[in-house]
Amino acid sequence: MIFLWAFLVGGVMCVLAQLVLDLFPVTPAHVLVLFVVLGAVLGGVGLYGKLVTLAGAGASVPLPGFGYTLVTGIGEAVKVKGILGLLTGGLTAAAGGIKAAVLFGLFAALVFKPKA
Amino acid sequence: MSVAKIGAASYRLKNVGIKGTAAVVGPKEGQGPLGAYFDKVWVSETNHETSFERAERALLEEALNLAVKKANCSWDDVDLVLGGDLLDQIVSTNFVARQHERPLLGLFAACAVFTEALGLGALLIAGQGPKRVAVGAVSHHMAAERQFRFPIELGYQRTPTAAWTATAAGAAILGVAQHEDLLVDTVTFGRVIDYGSKDPNDMGSAMAPAALDSIERHLAATGDRIEDYDGIFTGDLGVFGIDLLQELGSAAGLRFGDRLNDCGKSLYYLKEQDVHNGASGPGCSAGVFSGYLYQRLKKGDWQRLLLVATGALFSPTTYQQGETIPCIAHAVTVSSPGAHAR
Amino acid sequence: MADQENTQRVRAYQELVKSRRPSKPILKNVIYAFFVGGAICEVGQWIQWGFMQNGMTAKEATSPTTVVLIGLGALLTGLGWYDKVVKHGGMGGTLPITGFSNAMVAPAMEFRSEGLVLGVGAKLFTVAGPVLVYGLSAAFVVGLCRYLLTGVA
């Protein structure tokens, strides 16, 4: 069942992003920023967590999932470290993804060349 | 040779001829409907150069060298080089001048630079300054994308009004007219016109009013009618820009009909090559004129042509700061010697 | 007076441009975004399932799944395919984490010609930077609010 929900929820989220892009005078970068912030806010009020439980990768793979990861990371860090967790929790939770992207980016820059 | 001022920024020139032209283009341009008219079509976008910027320089250098050769002269005979490109500090034009070592006046008018150079060069010759002037303009798709938009491999969707910067260079050698040389007859330099457009993905609509302004003033100063031209070619208004220019024209009492066309609209098969609004870039009008239009006139298919290259004078900084896009267009009439006698 | 006339002309022209502008194929874009975005998430779900078969919980599997998808995005970008995914899929290609990877890898590749430090190093975050800045800031503000309201974040 989660495989169906993953497809549907992921697809719908992309549809919403596409509508924002096509109907308002914004660039894709603006849409990404908007959606990551939305993910953090919805994560903060507990809604996004429910979506992740329902749709799995359908909610964690799109960019709002990244905002959600940052917020839950902060939540867990605060439990352990207290207020300092507000500063360390977000990046700790997202470290794997960011570091992977940096390394892959560096690697690709050395190996590949842009094409038309 | 002589020059007469016939309007606020319009000049009638006597005996200034085009001694030869050359156009070198990228593979995509070569696969377009005008492919057969270009002197050289590169097999790849970079043609073995190590960067897109180097490729742009090589493109201009090849076009200039070929034009000098086709004009039956040598670089030593060239008194002055005029031209420009889109990259910051017009590096392509400046760096190529390192190779040919001729005196250089680098120009910037974005995509309108080819007619600026053509008109200015012709004016200088008619004023009995330099005897022989080389003019050229170039753009490279990937170098321009990198500077103005996004990295090549970054995915994004082009809007229907977006133009495709052409990988092309065009060059012409001007001198005292002899025999069958095509003549640069009349020139009108453009004013900067800003009708409040802001979208860098829709430059056709931003530039259309500037094109109309220059065409109107050119016709008024020269006394020419639209029917006196076999073709009126704007630079890179594209499908949407030409549509708007037709509309603006008829509101101003100018019925262009199918004499009005656009270099950017002509360079590609718009649907099949997926370029939306058409081609843009300084190399677009330079390449289409130096390749296709020059040959139409030379073969005698056409007697008179009005070339109106159009330029959007914005930078990534002004766009990000929310400024509107000022535009310019320079108009040059090129005619065959027979038409001149009329 | 001349100014007023000018403003009017500009406004009239912008109206004309607006009425004539070819419209974006929104319906087509939306349908493609749905299927492309859905498909990428579906792939993600299968990868996550694979990790879960090896004894991870769904939560534990999220992070390695993200890393694999980022790797796939980087590979497709390097091969010059990902820009085609986005050309058709629009936000369906941009919004998933693979698009985030594309946004980091594409400038890194492209600015190789400006050197490893000022080219690749500096440009890696041109597009991803704003996402990190506002993502982290928003998460901090949300976390702070929760901390102040509930005592735990």
Side-chain angles (χ1 to χ4, degrees):
Chain A
M1 207 45 201
I2 196 165
F3 287 95
L4 181 66
W5 281 113
F7 192 97
L8 290 179
V9 170
V12 166
M13 238 181 296
C14 294
V15 164
L16 292 177
Q18 185 72 40
L19 284 173
V20 174
L21 180 68
D22 280 353
L23 297 177
F24 300 93
V26 291
T27 67
H30 287 91
V31 182
L32 293 182
V33 167
L34 174 73
F35 272 68
V36 82
V37 170
L38 273 180
V41 172
L42 292 178
V45 296
L47 285 177
Y48 209 87
K50 289 189 180 122
L51 201 60
V52 172
T53 316
L54 171 76
S60 61
V61 169
L63 212 56
F66 185 68
Y68 162 76
T69 304
L70 296 174
V71 163
T72 45
I74 288 177
E76 281 158 21
V78 168
K79 271 181 210 137
V80 183
K81 299 184 192 167
I83 193 157
L84 191 67
L86 284 175
L87 290 177
T88 60
L91 272 179
T92 308
I98 294 173
K99 189 138 186 185
V102 169
L103 288 177
F104 288 134
L106 198 55
F107 178 72
L110 297 176
V111 173
F112 298 110
K113 279 208 150 158
K115 298 163 197 67
Chain B
M1 291 171 302
S2 68
V3 52
K5 186 164 184 287
I6 54 171
S10 302
Y11 304 88
R12 189 180 297 283
L13 316 174
K14 285 248 157 58
N15 261 351
V16 180
I18 301 178
K19 319 298 286 180
T21 63
V24 182
V25 301
K28 186 171 175 122
E29 292 68 24
Q31 286 155 15
L34 307 181
Y37 290 95
F38 300 120
D39 296 276
K40 202 167 163 195
V41 177
W42 277 8
V43 287
S44 77
E45 282 284 337
T46 50
N47 204 27
H48 311 301
E49 297 293 335
T50 48
S51 71
F52 302 134
E53 289 73 14
R54 275 170 170 273
E56 180 167 315
R57 277 172 235 155
L59 210 58
L60 179 62
E61 199 184 339
E62 281 185 23
L64 280 167
N65 284 338
L66 262 174
V68 168
K69 203 169 132 199
K70 286 173 75 184
N72 288 318
C73 61
S74 76
W75 271 110
D76 292 334
D77 305 325
V78 175
D79 299 321
L80 186 64
V81 179
L82 298 177
D85 55 83
L86 263 190
L87 299 186
D88 290 336
Q89 288 81 35
I90 52 171
V91 281
S92 302
T93 303
N94 291 335
F95 278 45
V96 167
R98 208 162 51 173
Q99 307 300 323
H100 60 61
E101 294 186 310
R102 303 311 298 159
L104 170 78
L105 293 181
L107 307 173
F108 184 82
C111 313
V113 76
F114 186 70
T115 47
E116 178 178 356
L118 195 65
L120 184 58
L123 191 62
L124 290 172
I125 290 172
Q128 314 204 336
K131 297 254 180 300
R132 208 162 278 234
V133 175
V135 303
V138 64
S139 54
H140 190 286
H141 176 73
M142 305 230 238
E145 282 291 293
R146 225 155 93 80
Q147 178 173 314
F148 281 91
R149 295 189 184 88
F150 298 110
I152 309 291
E153 295 300 345
L154 179 69
Y156 67 103
Q157 273 176 327
R158 289 172 172 274
T159 56
T161 51
W164 185 275
T165 309
T167 300
I173 310 296
L174 301 172
V176 182
Q178 289 166 318
H179 321 302
E180 296 298 297
D181 288 349
L182 296 184
L183 300 165
V184 179
D185 260 353
T186 44
V187 174
T188 297
F189 293 116
R191 307 187 289 180
V192 173
I193 305 279
D194 188 337
Y195 267 52
S197 294
K198 282 189 172 180
D199 185 357
N201 287 313
D202 178 14
M203 294 191 294
S205 75
M207 296 189 295
L212 180 73
D213 184 70
S214 293
I215 294 172
E216 260 187 319
R217 292 188 307 117
H218 190 77
L219 294 179
T222 57
D224 290 341
R225 294 160 306 157
I226 291 164
E227 300 76 49
D228 295 334
Y229 290 96
D230 298 296
I232 298 177
F233 269 73
T234 50
D236 50 5
L237 295 184
V239 181
F240 185 40
I242 281 292
D243 188 31
L244 287 164
L245 182 54
Q246 290 278 14
E247 176 99 21
L248 289 173
S250 46
L254 293 172
R255 304 186 66 83
F256 294 117
D258 52 14
R259 286 166 206 271
L260 179 66
N261 208 327
D262 181 68
C263 299
K265 210 175 140 183
S266 317
L267 187 56
Y268 302 113
Y269 294 109
L270 299 175
K271 274 255 149 35
E272 292 82 350
Q273 294 188 290
D274 194 32
V275 292
H276 302 93
N277 198 43
S280 66
C284 170
S285 54
V288 170
F289 174 77
S290 305
Y292 171 64
L293 297 172
Y294 178 79
Q295 287 186 40
R296 289 298 296 263
L297 288 159
K298 200 73 189 167
K299 278 187 203 146
D301 298 351
W302 289 349
Q303 303 297 311
R304 297 186 92 217
L305 167 82
L306 181 59
L307 184 66
V308 193
T310 41
L313 306 173
F314 74 109
S315 79
T317 309
T318 63
Y319 150 63
Q320 279 166 9
Q321 291 177 350
E323 304 282 347
T324 54
I325 301 176
C327 296
I328 198 161
H330 301 293
V332 175
T333 298
V334 179
S335 61
S336 60
H340 193 60
R342 179 167 63 188
Chain C
M1 192 59 203
D3 260 12
Q4 223 169 25
E5 237 171 69
N6 239 353
T7 326
Q8 250 171 25
R9 248 194 352 213
V10 165
R11 198 169 302 153
Y13 183 66
Q14 290 303 327
E15 285 297 314
L16 174 71
V17 170
K18 218 169 140 190
S19 68
R20 289 300 183 81
R21 178 171 290 155
S23 55
K24 293 182 188 173
I26 296 183
L27 185 68
K28 189 188 121 206
N29 285 353
V30 161
I31 293 171
Y32 271 83
F34 178 76
F35 283 102
V36 171
I40 293 174
C41 293
E42 191 68 13
V43 171
Q45 188 60 48
W46 279 106
I47 295 169
Q48 191 174 359
W49 179 82
F51 282 115
M52 287 159 72
Q53 293 314 102
N54 290 314
M56 289 187 187
T57 65
K59 196 168 160 24
E60 284 166 347
T62 308
S63 185
T65 303
T66 305
V67 171
V68 171
L69 283 173
I70 285 175
L72 281 177
L75 183 67
L76 293 180
T77 305
L79 295 172
W81 296 347
Y82 205 83
D83 56 327
K84 293 178 182 72
V85 172
V86 178
K87 195 183 135 185
H88 298 290
M91 290 311 288
T94 305
L95 197 68
I97 200 75
T98 43
F100 183 74
S101 165
N102 172 246
M104 289 188 71
V105 174
M109 276 165 65
E110 177 130 344
F111 285 87
R112 176 73 183 85
S113 52
E114 275 79 355
L116 285 173
V117 174
L118 296 177
V120 177
K123 300 289 183 175
L124 202 57
F125 285 95
T126 23
V127 191
V131 171
L132 288 178
V133 168
Y134 290 103
L136 287 169
S137 306
F140 175 79
V141 172
V142 169
L144 183 68
C145 290
R146 285 208 303 189
Y147 183 77
L148 294 176
L149 290 175
T150 64
V152 284

